[in-house]
mmCIF file of all heavy atoms in Angstrom:
data_model
loop_
_atom_site.group_PDB
_atom_site.id
_atom_site.type_symbol
_atom_site.label_atom_id
_atom_site.label_comp_id
_atom_site.label_asym_id
_atom_site.label_seq_id
_atom_site.Cartn_x
_atom_site.Cartn_y
_atom_site.Cartn_z
ATOM 1 N N VAL A 104 17.396 4.687 -34.801
ATOM 2 C CA VAL A 104 15.951 4.445 -34.695
ATOM 3 C C VAL A 104 15.669 3.507 -33.533
ATOM 4 O O VAL A 104 16.242 2.418 -33.446
ATOM 5 C CB VAL A 104 15.367 3.924 -36.042
ATOM 6 C CG1 VAL A 104 16.123 2.727 -36.585
ATOM 7 C CG2 VAL A 104 13.882 3.579 -35.910
ATOM 8 N N GLN A 114 9.529 -12.952 -39.713
ATOM 9 C CA GLN A 114 10.993 -13.053 -39.637
ATOM 10 C C GLN A 114 11.649 -12.592 -40.930
ATOM 11 O O GLN A 114 12.793 -12.122 -40.919
ATOM 12 C CB GLN A 114 11.448 -14.448 -39.230
ATOM 13 C CG GLN A 114 10.895 -15.577 -40.019
ATOM 14 C CD GLN A 114 11.489 -16.890 -39.510
ATOM 15 O OE1 GLN A 114 12.656 -17.145 -39.727
ATOM 16 N NE2 GLN A 114 10.684 -17.692 -38.845
ATOM 17 N N ARG A 149 21.757 -9.981 -12.356
ATOM 18 C CA ARG A 149 23.018 -9.867 -11.587
ATOM 19 C C ARG A 149 23.185 -11.064 -10.658
ATOM 20 O O ARG A 149 24.274 -11.610 -10.519
ATOM 21 C CB ARG A 149 23.031 -8.574 -10.761
ATOM 22 C CG ARG A 149 23.606 -7.382 -11.518
ATOM 23 C CD ARG A 149 24.003 -6.248 -10.571
ATOM 24 N NE ARG A 149 22.918 -5.818 -9.693
ATOM 25 C CZ ARG A 149 21.969 -4.965 -10.042
ATOM 26 N NH1 ARG A 149 21.973 -4.429 -11.243
ATOM 27 N NH2 ARG A 149 21.025 -4.627 -9.189
ATOM 28 N N ALA A 165 5.640 -16.086 -15.583
ATOM 29 C CA ALA A 165 4.211 -15.865 -15.854
ATOM 30 C C ALA A 165 4.026 -14.441 -16.357
ATOM 31 O O ALA A 165 4.668 -13.512 -15.861
ATOM 32 C CB ALA A 165 3.383 -16.096 -14.597
ATOM 33 N N ASP A 183 2.861 -10.940 -29.505
ATOM 34 C CA ASP A 183 2.874 -9.630 -28.864
ATOM 35 C C ASP A 183 3.160 -9.700 -27.372
ATOM 36 O O ASP A 183 3.702 -8.768 -26.807
ATOM 37 C CB ASP A 183 1.500 -8.965 -29.059
ATOM 38 C CG ASP A 183 1.619 -7.693 -29.837
ATOM 39 O OD1 ASP A 183 2.122 -7.756 -30.970
ATOM 40 O OD2 ASP A 183 1.241 -6.639 -29.292
ATOM 41 N N ASP A 190 12.499 -12.723 -25.313
ATOM 42 C CA ASP A 190 13.707 -11.901 -25.254
ATOM 43 C C ASP A 190 14.343 -11.963 -23.866
ATOM 44 O O ASP A 190 15.565 -12.063 -23.736
ATOM 45 C CB ASP A 190 13.404 -10.435 -25.614
ATOM 46 C CG ASP A 190 14.679 -9.608 -25.525
ATOM 47 O OD1 ASP A 190 15.577 -9.813 -26.366
ATOM 48 O OD2 ASP A 190 14.818 -8.800 -24.583
ATOM 49 N N GLY A 215 -13.546 -15.540 -24.150
ATOM 50 C CA GLY A 215 -14.306 -15.604 -25.400
ATOM 51 C C GLY A 215 -13.714 -16.646 -26.321
ATOM 52 O O GLY A 215 -13.463 -17.782 -25.930
ATOM 53 N N LEU A 223 3.957 -22.119 -22.554
ATOM 54 C CA LEU A 223 5.076 -22.364 -23.481
ATOM 55 C C LEU A 223 6.180 -23.083 -22.722
ATOM 56 O O LEU A 223 6.495 -22.706 -21.579
ATOM 57 C CB LEU A 223 5.652 -21.046 -24.003
ATOM 58 C CG LEU A 223 4.919 -20.311 -25.118
ATOM 59 C CD1 LEU A 223 3.578 -19.767 -24.654
ATOM 60 C CD2 LEU A 223 5.789 -19.160 -25.632
ATOM 61 N N LEU A 294 14.793 4.764 -22.292
ATOM 62 C CA LEU A 294 14.879 5.912 -23.204
ATOM 63 C C LEU A 294 16.039 6.826 -22.821
ATOM 64 O O LEU A 294 16.711 7.387 -23.692
ATOM 65 C CB LEU A 294 13.546 6.665 -23.228
ATOM 66 C CG LEU A 294 12.393 5.845 -23.834
ATOM 67 C CD1 LEU A 294 11.066 6.592 -23.719
ATOM 68 C CD2 LEU A 294 12.654 5.494 -25.305
ATOM 69 N N PRO A 343 25.395 -12.230 -37.675
ATOM 70 C CA PRO A 343 26.423 -11.423 -38.356
ATOM 71 C C PRO A 343 27.401 -10.802 -37.355
ATOM 72 O O PRO A 343 27.049 -10.541 -36.200
ATOM 73 C CB PRO A 343 25.601 -10.334 -39.050
ATOM 74 C CG PRO A 343 24.199 -10.847 -39.098
ATOM 75 C CD PRO A 343 24.042 -11.725 -37.901
#
Side-chain angles (χ1 to χ4, degrees):
V104 52
Q114 52 178 289
R149 271 198 306 277
D183 242 58
D190 179 69
L223 281 68
L294 294 175

